[in-house]
Amino acid sequence: MKRLNKYLLLHYPQLWNLRVIWVVPAIAILHLIFYICGYASFTFGKELHYSTGLGDHIMGESMGFSVLISVLLFIMWLVFYMRNNPFKSFYPLGRWYFVAEFTLIMLIFAGGSTFFNSYAKGHWQSIRNQSAHVDIVAEANTLNLAHALIPSDRDHYRLHACCDSLDYIDSLRDLRRSIWDKEHPEEENPYLYNRRGRRMSVYNGKEGIEVPKKVPIPAGAVLVDIDSAISQYQARQRDFDFNYMHYCNQFYADLDSVKGISNSHQISARLQQMLTSDDRQAVKKILTQFDKICQTYEVNKDIDVIGYTDKVFKYPNHRVDEFIGGNSYEYTGREDDFRNGTNVHSYLAFGEVSESLSRIQHARGIGFDFSFFLVIFYVSFSLAILLFSFRLSARKPWFIALVGSGVLVIVITIISGMMHTTHMYIYIWLFVILLFYILHFVFRSSVRRTLSGVNLVWLTWMVPFQGLIILEFIKSLFTYDSHLQKYPPQYYWIQDNYSAILLVYLLVAFIYSITLLSALYRRWQSMPEE
Amino acid sequence: MTDPIGTRLSEVAGHYQSGDHHLGLRRMIDAALETQTPDIYELVLAFCERTEKNPGADPSADAMTMISAIQRAGIPERRMADTTIIEVKGVSKRYKSGHFKLSPVDLSIRAGEVAGLVGENGNGKTTLLRVMAGELQPDTGSVAYHFANDTSTKYDLRTRLAFVQQRIPRWWGTLTDNLHLTASFYGLHGRANELWVEMIIARLGLRPYKALSWNTISSGYRTRFELARTLLRKPEVLLLDEPLSNLDIISQQTILQDLRFLAQSHTQPMAILLSSQQIYEVEKVSDQIIFLKQGAPIYQQLKAGGNAASAEPNAPAPQAVYELETSASRDELQKVFGALPLVQIQFNGGVYILTFDSSARSGAILKALAEHEVETTYFRDISRSSRRFFANQ
């Protein structure tokens, strides 16, 4: 290590001065440690359905510690890095000096501030490795059938929840949509969803709908007729006829598009086939498999899953007269008990099984996340800009700029608040940026070193924001059409491609910083005092 | 045409033969640096190590071997011989706050020349140095630099100007790392870097201190290390603000002598401007003196060839001025010098400043003191020294 350090000092002074000799290995080792900790933090079983964090890249339990380590690392690094400043010492610096300096600073910030990501990566990898044996499709099918066999939600067994009823409502809704589309060819109806959209499940959760009497749709129907028809249809729901034969549901729907997953109709058909043919062996097999799954994922339950085999077969009408809860706190009970006000506390947390399968499925699908990359790029670029400006300017203008920025933000916020205009904040900031550029051209030929230094630092600090402000300014130029209830297509193009535009801007800003800004600092640094 | 390396080495041999090993070593390193040959650097550094390990042994024989090796290596062509490197024309500066004003200064320094900048505190020495170093914008006038290679930007120009401030900024990290870093940024890599740094360390007598840290060395050595760092940059112009302020009297003389030697390098001559309060020491090594009195320059040419816009060297002084330290009173001195053309007696800082007509000679003055048995602890002729300007307040 010492020899390598000496080698860098004698051959690559910039790398030596950036202390890459220890900061890069330190970052690598810390990432490895966080990865290992993340990996070790997961044990196959109930942790699959425990809430373990914030998302793919950030785990709640690691975040605080990661930030703490990052801060400590950066402080230590800066203590060494700040020791020598070849630029302020007027050492001859090569053409690529600033390119290398800025890039390395950015990489150090990016690497040193994402330990939580390694923790998350380790965690997800651990899930992938430990659940490699899991056949999600098979387990999802078992779960969905078991959910039908062990009643936990009354709504799924009501009359209106059967496949025919749902299909009829779907057809009404499809008709409604087609009419809407015909009458409003340029508009999107935000309240209509596709045939299998989540919106439908909300309707399922409401009152039951009588199936046999279909409401006729008159020729040339208009929307209001169909809305009325749906309302009437739903209003005809009746009684408490909870029945296995009504079940038409896909409890675990995350894998809907995956080949081999049974849909609600297939589940319904399979259930009806087992019940009508008195296929106890098949039911027992499913419940046995499900019981094994419950044991694997350490699902919370207080029922005998396999013992439910006999409860499923209720002749002659397959009536469901007992429901369990989804967890130990949920109200449970027989329908009779429900009427009598007495409760039976039995439960099986189906949600824990589906959550476990979802997590395994999610772990298998995690790949490169552009948004996360962009956030890290932006944050490390901003931090690099902050440090870069400190290294290239002097303490006095830098701290004046810091205090001035605080004052500026407060003043602009107050003015914007007083103006009561939606985009005033953007306009003021845009004006401030333009003002900084004008002031720069005013000061560049004078010898007011401190003033021009403060202005230059402000110009530098605005680099990460000015692209966003300009973008928001452009968006503000597009007016909302209240008749069509939408903006012009360009507006949506910007919104749809926001991340890509931001990335392009960051690349441009990066090049701008290492070329033009560096040249301005070079000029400023050699400027004599007045 | 004289053989510069031959003359230098004869001088080195003379120092060793007369037992002045320290000076001999410094001059030997100077000669070795002139060769610009890494092999010679290695030989000399090995010699330094041997002499340090055997402090009691006589290094003369070993030194002669070194001298022969250096002689054989020879030296390259001289660079920028006798050309004016820095030229100041009518530079003046007034600060917005305060009443101080630096009156227009004209000055030019050639390669190999040392110029002294003297004056009391607050008379504009640092201001002039900062203007020359490009740190301060003058109100009037200009500073021109005539370097071997053109400088395209102001930043490039600043990389060529070496300015050692009076208050030296703290060094962080080890001393040698800092020196290697500087040399590395100036394009010296690998073994060349190591050798060059070691040679400069040895040249300034810093070898015993190189392993120490900034906190463990005295302010005098900090100045020396800063000077070493500056020399690593191979500057063509060296501006030094009060470099002697933290040094003891022996170190002052050594550093000044070293600066003189370094300025007169055959292969890398420098123009040096140094400010100081140590008038006599600075005068010994300077080609010209600029005395700043309340911001106004008074030029003093000390050696032939200097460029100061003043009287020619060796021209008769208008008055004979002497410094005298004695326990005698002013009245007693008036009696003692009654027969001599005494113009004025001033008492200044514990010593008398005696001003005589230009016809007075120091022998006659000393004779008068002896005849009257005046107890004398210090006597100096300052007729041509800038010291006399301090007295005329």
Side-chain angles (χ1 to χ4, degrees):
Chain A
M1 193 75 154
K2 261 189 170 179
R3 286 179 66 186
L4 186 59
N5 196 34
K6 188 77 182 283
Y7 180 82
L8 287 180
L9 175 61
L10 298 181
H11 292 86
Y12 301 99
Q14 187 177 15
L15 293 181
W16 181 87
N17 199 37
L18 275 161
R19 313 290 162 164
V20 292
I21 189 72
W22 70 263
V23 79
V24 171
I27 288 172
I29 289 166
L30 283 166
H31 272 290
L32 188 66
I33 290 169
F34 269 85
Y35 184 87
I36 291 167
C37 289
Y39 197 93
S41 71
F42 172 74
T43 311
F44 192 83
K46 62 176 148 188
E47 283 182 20
L48 273 168
H49 48 81
Y50 272 14
S51 178
T52 55
L54 305 171
D56 294 354
H57 307 282
I58 304 169
M59 290 286 167
E61 65 266 31
S62 71
M63 192 60 190
F65 194 59
S66 170
V67 170
L68 182 69
I69 294 289
S70 297
V71 170
L72 288 175
L73 180 83
F74 290 146
I75 288 172
M76 278 179 67
W77 173 63
L78 287 172
V79 164
F80 285 97
Y81 176 54
M82 292 290 187
R83 283 181 168 183
N84 293 294
N85 193 336
F87 179 66
K88 287 183 191 172
S89 301
F90 292 102
Y91 290 166
L93 306 173
R95 182 182 291 179
W96 300 103
Y97 177 83
F98 290 110
V99 178
E101 190 88 349
F102 194 86
T103 308
L104 287 167
I105 289 173
M106 245 185 85
L107 289 175
I108 288 168
F109 275 128
S113 58
T114 49
F115 298 128
F116 57 83
N117 184 42
S118 289
Y119 184 91
K121 290 272 185 225
H123 185 88
W124 290 114
Q125 187 58 46
S126 183
I127 292 177
R128 275 196 292 276
N129 289 358
Q130 293 188 53
S131 63
H133 62 282
V134 173
D135 181 346
I136 294 182
V137 173
E139 290 194 2
N141 283 333
T142 304
L143 166 63
N144 285 337
L145 278 170
H147 187 262
L149 295 167
I150 305 172
S152 60
D153 187 339
R154 288 178 175 75
D155 290 332
H156 293 133
Y157 300 88
R158 289 179 194 273
L159 187 60
H160 78 277
C162 75
C163 293
D164 283 349
S165 177
L166 293 177
D167 288 346
Y168 178 62
I169 294 218
D170 278 354
S171 67
L172 286 180
R173 199 163 283 131
D174 287 346
L175 181 62
R176 185 184 194 279
R177 182 181 182 90
S178 64
I179 293 169
W180 176 275
D181 291 344
K182 194 176 175 184
E183 290 182 354
H184 307 88
E186 291 183 351
E187 292 182 45
E188 287 181 19
N189 184 349
Y191 302 107
L192 288 176
Y193 289 81
N194 289 332
R195 187 177 170 80
R196 294 292 169 201
R198 289 181 182 276
R199 187 82 177 172
M200 291 181 63
S201 65
V202 175
Y203 283 96
N204 286 350
K206 290 187 177 176
E207 303 293 16
I209 296 172
E210 198 174 312
V211 181
K213 291 183 180 178
K214 292 186 178 179
V215 178
I217 304 296
V222 290
L223 284 174
V224 66
D225 296 331
I226 295 173
D227 286 338
S228 167
I230 292 172
S231 301
Q232 286 175 39
Y233 189 81
Q234 287 175 327
R236 289 182 194 176
Q237 56 79 33
R238 201 53 70 231
D239 79 352
F240 297 96
D241 184 20
F242 302 112
N243 197 306
Y244 280 109
M245 305 305 272
H246 294 158
Y247 191 89
C248 183
N249 178 48
Q250 189 187 37
F251 174 69
Y252 181 61
D254 282 5
L255 293 172
D256 200 19
S257 58
V258 176
K259 204 173 178 183
I261 290 287
S262 304
N263 60 30
S264 53
H265 284 68
Q266 289 167 327
I267 291 164
S268 176
R270 175 80 172 124
L271 179 65
Q272 289 179 21
Q273 184 262 325
M274 285 191 295
L275 296 183
T276 52
S277 62
D278 197 25
D279 192 347
R280 290 172 189 266
Q281 284 303 316
V283 170
K284 189 174 183 181
K285 188 182 172 188
I286 290 164
L287 291 177
T288 305
Q289 285 170 345
F290 183 64
D291 190 47
K292 198 178 165 190
I293 291 169
C294 289
Q295 285 173 27
T296 305
Y297 300 129
E298 298 174 47
V299 172
N300 284 301
K301 63 181 175 66
D302 70 346
I303 62 164
D304 174 14
V305 174
I306 302 168
Y308 244 82
T309 308
D310 293 330
K311 293 183 182 178
V312 174
F313 297 94
K314 304 283 186 185
Y315 295 108
N317 56 4
H318 307 292
R319 177 184 167 82
V320 181
D321 57 3
E322 186 177 306
F323 293 93
I324 63 164
N327 57 55
S328 58
Y329 306 106
E330 198 171 292
Y331 170 79
T332 60
R334 291 167 185 275
E335 183 54 30
D336 294 339
D337 295 333
F338 175 71
R339 286 176 176 168
N340 299 334
T342 56
N343 300 334
V344 176
H345 293 282
S346 298
Y347 67 95
L348 190 153
F350 285 101
E352 291 180 359
V353 184
S354 61
E355 177 63 27
S356 301
L357 292 178
S358 290
R359 192 150 289 176
I360 292 168
Q361 184 200 357
H362 187 73
R364 289 177 182 177
I366 289 175
F368 175 74
D369 188 334
F370 179 67
S371 302
F372 180 72
F373 165 77
L374 203 59
V375 168
I376 295 302
F377 191 168
Y378 189 82
V379 170
S380 53
F381 178 75
S382 302
L383 288 172
I385 278 283
L386 196 66
L387 180 58
F388 205 51
S389 64
F390 186 78
R391 291 284 283 177
L392 301 193
S393 66
R395 279 183 200 171
K396 190 178 168 186
W398 197 87
F399 280 107
I400 291 174
L402 189 68
V403 174
S405 298
V407 174
L408 198 65
V409 168
I410 292 167
V411 169
I412 290 175
T413 308
I414 291 170
I415 293 172
S416 306
M418 288 164 69
M419 294 293 185
H420 301 296
T421 312
T422 319
H423 300 298
M424 186 51 68
Y425 203 71
I426 296 164
Y427 297 151
I428 294 175
W429 272 113
L430 200 65
F431 170 74
V432 168
I433 292 169
L434 286 172
L435 188 67
F436 287 161
Y437 277 99
I438 291 165
L439 286 176
H440 171 71
F441 284 103
V442 171
F443 288 136
R444 69 197 291 260
S445 54
S446 79
V447 287
R448 295 186 172 187
R449 199 166 184 273
T450 305
L451 276 178
S452 58
V454 171
N455 189 60
L456 188 56
V457 171
W458 271 338
L459 267 187
T460 314
W461 289 353
M462 290 313 296
V463 170
F465 308 107
Q466 64 195 25
L468 298 177
I469 290 166
I470 291 168
L471 207 55
E472 288 303 317
F473 171 72
I474 293 168
K475 277 174 70 180
S476 75
L477 297 177
F478 300 114
T479 48
Y480 184 75
D481 188 328
S482 54
H483 177 68
L484 292 175
Q485 293 189 325
K486 64 180 183 181
Y487 287 97
Q490 295 90 334
Y491 180 91
Y492 295 107
W493 185 87
I494 291 172
Q495 271 200 327
D496 292 345
N497 297 289
Y498 206 89
S499 297
I501 294 169
L502 190 59
L503 178 67
V504 170
Y505 171 71
L506 283 175
L507 291 172
V508 171
F510 175 79
I511 294 166
Y512 168 73
S513 304
I514 58 176
T515 53
L516 191 63
L517 268 183
S518 304
L520 292 178
Y521 274 108
R522 203 185 267 254
R523 181 193 163 96
W524 180 83
Q525 192 62 245
S526 51
M527 185 190 279
E529 287 175 26
E530 196 176 26
Chain B
M1 183 103 183
T2 54
D3 171 19
I5 196 75
T7 313
R8 181 77 54 83
L9 293 172
S10 303
E11 188 192 325
V12 174
H15 290 315
Y16 271 102
Q17 281 160 3
S18 60
D20 193 351
H21 299 156
H22 286 291
L23 182 57
L25 179 62
R26 280 151 55 204
R27 297 301 281 152
M28 184 198 284
I29 295 172
D30 282 344
L33 288 169
E34 300 279 20
T35 65
Q36 299 184 356
T37 310
D39 292 344
I40 295 295
Y41 294 173
E42 283 183 349
L43 276 177
V44 170
L45 289 170
F47 171 73
C48 290
E49 205 164 325
R50 284 197 297 276
T51 52
E52 282 167 12
K53 279 182 181 169
N54 304 296
D58 182 5
S60 301
D62 202 355
M64 295 308 144
T65 316
M66 291 293 114
I67 289 167
S68 303
I70 295 168
Q71 179 81 58
R72 282 195 299 276
I75 58 170
E77 284 292 307
R78 181 162 188 162
R79 192 185 71 177
M80 296 285 290
D82 299 326
T83 52
T84 297
I85 286 197
I86 190 163
E87 211 167 0
V88 177
K89 283 183 182 170
V91 162
S92 72
K93 179 74 187 173
R94 181 192 286 274
Y95 290 104
K96 282 178 184 171
S97 54
H99 302 293
F100 172 76
K101 178 179 184 290
L102 178 68
S103 300
V105 176
D106 294 296
L107 168 69
S108 65
I109 311 173
R110 287 196 289 238
E113 209 174 76
V114 178
L117 188 60
V118 295
E120 292 171 338
N121 291 332
N123 274 262
K125 298 190 296 294
T126 303
T127 299
L128 180 60
L129 282 167
R130 289 187 68 202
V131 168
M132 292 173 75
E135 282 192 0
L136 206 57
Q137 180 76 14
D139 294 338
T140 63
S142 63
V143 183
Y145 309 91
H146 307 289
F147 292 131
N149 300 312
D150 284 340
T151 47
S152 54
T153 65
K154 280 187 179 177
Y155 187 88
D156 291 340
L157 174 68
R158 297 285 294 267
T159 64
R160 311 282 288 279
L161 294 170
F163 177 37
V164 178
Q165 298 174 39
Q166 187 178 2
R167 286 181 189 169
I168 299 164
R170 192 191 194 289
W171 288 21
W172 299 95
T174 68
L175 297 169
T176 45
D177 278 356
N178 276 275
L179 296 175
H180 285 303
L181 184 71
T182 303
S184 207
F185 269 109
Y186 272 83
L188 283 166
H189 299 300
R191 188 69 186 138
N193 182 308
E194 285 185 302
L195 287 172
W196 181 243
V197 169
E198 286 296 325
M199 285 295 278
I200 294 295
I201 286 174
R203 177 62 188 80
L204 295 179
L206 298 172
R207 278 173 64 90
Y209 310 98
K210 65 178 183 179
L212 301 178
S213 67
W214 188 257
N215 287 334
T216 54
I217 57 171
S218 68
S219 52
Y221 278 101
R222 288 173 185 172
T223 306
R224 289 185 192 208
F225 270 102
E226 184 65 27
L227 183 62
R229 181 156 75 171
T230 308
L231 291 174
L232 289 171
R233 300 168 70 165
K234 300 182 181 177
E236 290 173 73
V237 170
L238 181 55
L239 305 168
L240 302 152
D241 191 10
E242 303 277 4
L244 309 177
S245 58
N246 293 318
L247 302 177
D248 57 62
I249 185 67
I250 302 296
S251 300
Q252 286 176 9
Q253 289 166 352
T254 307
I255 283 284
L256 285 169
Q257 198 177 33
D258 286 347
L259 287 173
R260 180 81 201 163
F261 290 149
L262 292 165
Q264 291 178 332
S265 162
H266 182 76
T267 49
Q268 291 177 339
M270 280 185 289
I272 297 178
L273 176 64
L274 64 99
S275 71
S276 179
Q277 308 281 349
Q278 317 298 325
I279 299 169
Y280 302 135
E281 279 71 24
V282 171
E283 282 177 343
K284 276 181 206 167
V285 299
S286 298
D287 297 280
Q288 56 177 316
I289 292 286
I290 299 96
F291 177 76
L292 290 175
K293 189 169 186 177
Q294 293 176 344
I298 300 170
Y299 305 101
Q300 173 99 358
Q301 194 68 48
L302 297 172
K303 292 184 174 65
N307 280 25
S310 75
E312 288 299 310
N314 304 322
Q319 287 179 316
V321 188
Y322 298 92
E323 253 187 326
L324 175 69
E325 189 174 345
T326 176
S327 57
S329 66
R330 188 190 295 261
D331 293 339
E332 286 169 339
L333 290 176
Q334 289 278 8
K335 285 178 191 170
V336 168
F337 301 124
L340 294 171
L342 181 66
V343 176
Q344 188 184 26
I345 297 179
Q346 289 175 283
F347 189 68
N348 190 330
V351 295
Y352 289 100
I353 306 296
L354 310 172
T355 307
F356 294 90
D357 186 83
S358 59
S359 60
R361 293 288 175 267
S362 55
I365 296 164
L366 286 169
K367 190 179 174 187
L369 288 169
E371 280 173 355
H372 290 82
E373 295 181 346
V374 175
E375 195 179 326
T376 303
T377 50
Y378 174 74
F379 180 80
R380 188 185 192 105
D381 182 354
I382 58 170
S383 305
R384 295 181 188 284
S385 168
S386 302
R387 173 69 176 91
R388 69 185 192 276
F389 301 128
F390 281 88
N392 297 332
Q393 301 285 349

